[in-house]
């Protein structure tokens, strides 16, 4: 029998944590236990870390917390959902981050970042502490898809130690422990309200300015990388959300997110192959980069690949939070900011 994912009600007020407090907490956590060597973590590395620092509710030491971020597109042909595959098979003692709920609930666009207070409340309900090491992972069905978005969200809100598992499909294939069925009750905590790192986020006005400046003399040369499929980017295939125009922003470079994944395992390619992908696509590592997609989810797959390949400066790379869903609804027809391949060939 499968039960619902149960969270104990949160009855505590959330403390606000300033940048100095966050730095002190981060330094303390870092000093207590060595971090993983890379942002991407192998299944074996995570398995070993969980043996040494299990996610026990009674431990006062920094723990390693597996965080499932499984999510499927609304037009998934099999009708799958993240919580369903989480119940079916997961890393023991993992928690589930609902990408459809930890959002800005006042926005008309899906998956927009929540405000700091809402983020802290979600982390508190998940029983995650600020000093914990969090390893985000995807479903075995998709390999890598939505986990990078949740990892990026945690980094944007200043969580000091967050990683992405590369990946759960390999974890299962390697015979590492899994559990299924009833979900254990999470002991809520008190996660401090963080400050959001605005430097990691591109807004509609920022991207519109880049698009309007495309091919203009003296423009900064910001590059827009689009992680959607070629069909959606070219305007030939429809968007998964009804009523939304397909196409692309002027000057954007189409790099479908699965281009940076191994075709069989759906894990990230090695760093040298990732560099080759970006170079062959004409991405200039010396210029700023904004990654976009449908709703800001798979854009983070590209950002993670850029990070792994050390391609471009982290200080000049951003995610367009609203991505195409916001863009296609907000640009004016008179601006000519939705392009198709058919238009370009005329």
């Amino acid at each position: 029998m499968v039960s619902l994912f149960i969270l104990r009600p949160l009855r505590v007020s959330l403390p606000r944590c300033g940048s100095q407090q966050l730095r002190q907490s981060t330094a303390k956590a870092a000093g207590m236990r060595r971090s993983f060597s890379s942002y991407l973590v192998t299944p074996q590395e995570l398995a070993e870390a969980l043996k040494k620092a299990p996610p026990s509710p009674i431990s006062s030491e920094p723990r390693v917390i597996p965080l499932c971020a499984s999510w499927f597109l609304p037009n998934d042909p099999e009708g799958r959902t993240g919580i369903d595959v989480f119940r079916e098979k997961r890393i023991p003692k993992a928690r589930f981050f609902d990408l459809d709920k930890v959002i800005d609930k006042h926005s008309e666009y899906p998956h927009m970042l929540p405000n700091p207070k809402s983020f802290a409340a979600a982390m508190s309900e998940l029983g995650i502490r600020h000093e914990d090491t969090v390893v985000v992972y995807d479903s075995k069905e998709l390999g890598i898809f939505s986990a990078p978005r949740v990892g990026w969200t945690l980094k944007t809100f200043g969580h000091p130690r967050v990683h992405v598992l590369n990946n759960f499909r390999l974890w299962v294939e390697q015979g590492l422990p899994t559990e299924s069925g009833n979900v254990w009750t999470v002991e809520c905590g008190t996660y401090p309200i963080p400050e959001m790192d605005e430097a990691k986020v591109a807004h509609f006005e920022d991207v519109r300015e880049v698009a309007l400046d495309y091919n203009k003399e003296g423009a900064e040369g910001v590059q827009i990388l689009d992680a959607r499929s070629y069909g959606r980017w070219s305007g030939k295939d429809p968007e998964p959300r009804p009523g939304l125009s397909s196409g692309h922003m002027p000057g954007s470079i189409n790099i479908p997110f699965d281009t940076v994944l191994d075709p069989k395992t759906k894990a990230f390619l090695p760093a040298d192959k990732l560099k080759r992908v970006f170079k062959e696509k004409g991405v200039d590592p010396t210029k700023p980069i904004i990654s976009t997609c449908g709703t800001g989810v798979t854009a983070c797959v590209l950002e993670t690949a850029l990070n792994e390949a050390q391609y471009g400066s982290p200080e000049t790379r951003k995610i367009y939070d609203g991505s195409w869903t916001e863009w296609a609804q907000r640009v004016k027809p008179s601006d000519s900011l939705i392009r198709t391949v058919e238009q370009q060939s005329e």
Side-chain angles (χ1 to χ4, degrees):
M1 179 178 177
V2 177
S3 71
L4 294 175
F5 184 68
I6 303 171
L7 297 175
R8 291 183 181 174
L10 183 65
R11 296 191 177 91
V12 293
S13 59
L14 299 173
R16 182 168 294 276
C17 195
S19 57
Q20 183 176 356
Q21 290 172 288
L22 284 172
R23 286 194 297 270
Q24 290 173 345
S25 176
T26 301
K28 180 181 178 182
M32 294 178 76
R33 199 179 306 275
R34 186 177 64 84
S35 299
F36 293 106
S37 59
S38 172
Y39 181 58
L40 292 181
V41 175
T42 68
Q44 196 58 48
E45 286 175 327
L46 176 57
E48 290 298 322
L50 287 171
K51 291 178 183 177
K52 297 175 183 176
S56 168
I58 61 173
S59 173
S60 61
E61 294 289 306
R63 307 161 300 172
V64 176
I65 306 290
L67 185 63
C68 178
S70 296
W71 180 78
F72 295 84
L73 286 170
N75 65 340
D76 181 68
E78 298 178 38
R80 296 169 296 186
T81 66
I83 189 63
D84 286 342
V85 298
F86 175 75
R87 290 172 180 145
E88 182 182 322
K89 192 182 292 287
R90 60 182 178 270
I91 296 174
K93 302 299 184 183
R95 291 99 194 270
F96 179 72
F97 189 102
D98 194 331
L99 199 56
D100 285 324
K101 292 184 178 179
V102 189
I103 56 173
D104 179 358
K105 295 181 180 178
H106 299 291
S107 174
E108 60 186 296
Y109 310 112
H111 304 141
M112 300 291 277
L113 285 168
N115 61 45
K117 187 174 181 180
S118 296
F119 173 79
M123 296 291 276
S124 297
E125 290 176 5
L126 287 167
I128 296 175
R129 305 168 189 161
H130 187 259
E131 64 269 20
D132 287 335
T133 294
V134 178
V135 181
V136 192
Y137 72 94
D138 262 296
S139 66
K140 64 176 174 56
E141 290 82 0
L142 299 183
I144 291 290
F145 187 59
S146 48
R149 169 68 188 199
V150 174
W152 175 80
T153 298
L154 266 64
K155 291 202 295 183
T156 299
F157 283 108
H159 192 83
R161 305 200 315 160
V162 55
H163 301 268
V164 170
L165 178 65
N166 194 28
N167 59 15
F168 186 51
R169 179 179 294 187
L170 289 175
W171 176 285
V172 173
E173 289 179 357
Q174 292 171 16
L176 293 167
T178 61
E179 64 180 15
S180 59
N182 293 337
V183 182
W184 63 297
T185 302
V186 171
E187 188 73 36
C188 292
T190 306
Y191 194 93
I193 299 174
E195 295 176 0
M196 186 170 76
D197 186 355
E198 288 283 355
K200 295 183 184 298
V201 186
H203 301 284
F204 173 78
E205 294 76 12
D206 305 322
V207 184
R208 184 176 183 274
E209 183 178 348
V210 172
L212 288 171
D213 285 347
Y214 175 63
N215 268 348
K216 287 185 178 179
E217 188 175 348
E220 187 182 0
V222 178
Q223 303 161 106
I224 299 175
L225 309 187
D226 193 323
R228 293 175 301 150
S229 67
Y230 174 78
R232 292 165 64 187
W233 178 88
S234 67
K236 294 180 179 180
D237 293 344
E239 288 293 309
R241 290 166 180 81
L244 208 63
S245 301
S246 58
H248 60 267
M249 304 161 195
S252 64
I253 302 171
N254 184 220
I255 308 179
F257 77 92
D258 57 5
T259 307
V260 301
L261 305 179
D262 181 277
K264 181 181 179 182
T265 66
K266 297 302 179 183
F268 280 101
L269 295 170
D272 59 335
K273 291 187 177 181
L274 292 173
K275 287 180 181 178
R276 194 179 311 146
V277 168
F278 294 122
K279 186 175 181 179
E280 290 176 353
K281 289 287 186 176
V283 182
D284 186 341
T286 68
K287 294 181 179 179
I289 295 171
I290 296 174
S291 294
T292 182
C293 58
T295 63
V297 175
T298 57
C300 297
V301 175
L302 295 187
E303 166 56 28
T304 302
L306 289 164
N307 181 75
E308 181 69 9
Q310 297 183 5
Y311 204 91
S313 169
E315 286 72 33
T316 57
R317 297 197 309 255
K318 299 174 184 281
I319 296 294
Y320 176 20
D321 198 23
S323 281
W324 189 256
T325 301
E326 179 184 34
W327 184 264
Q329 294 181 68
R330 290 191 63 180
V331 295
K332 300 176 182 177
S334 58
D335 290 335
S336 298
L337 294 178
I338 293 181
R339 306 283 177 85
T340 65
V341 170
E342 188 175 289
Q343 290 172 335
Q344 291 174 345
S345 61
E346 292 176 353

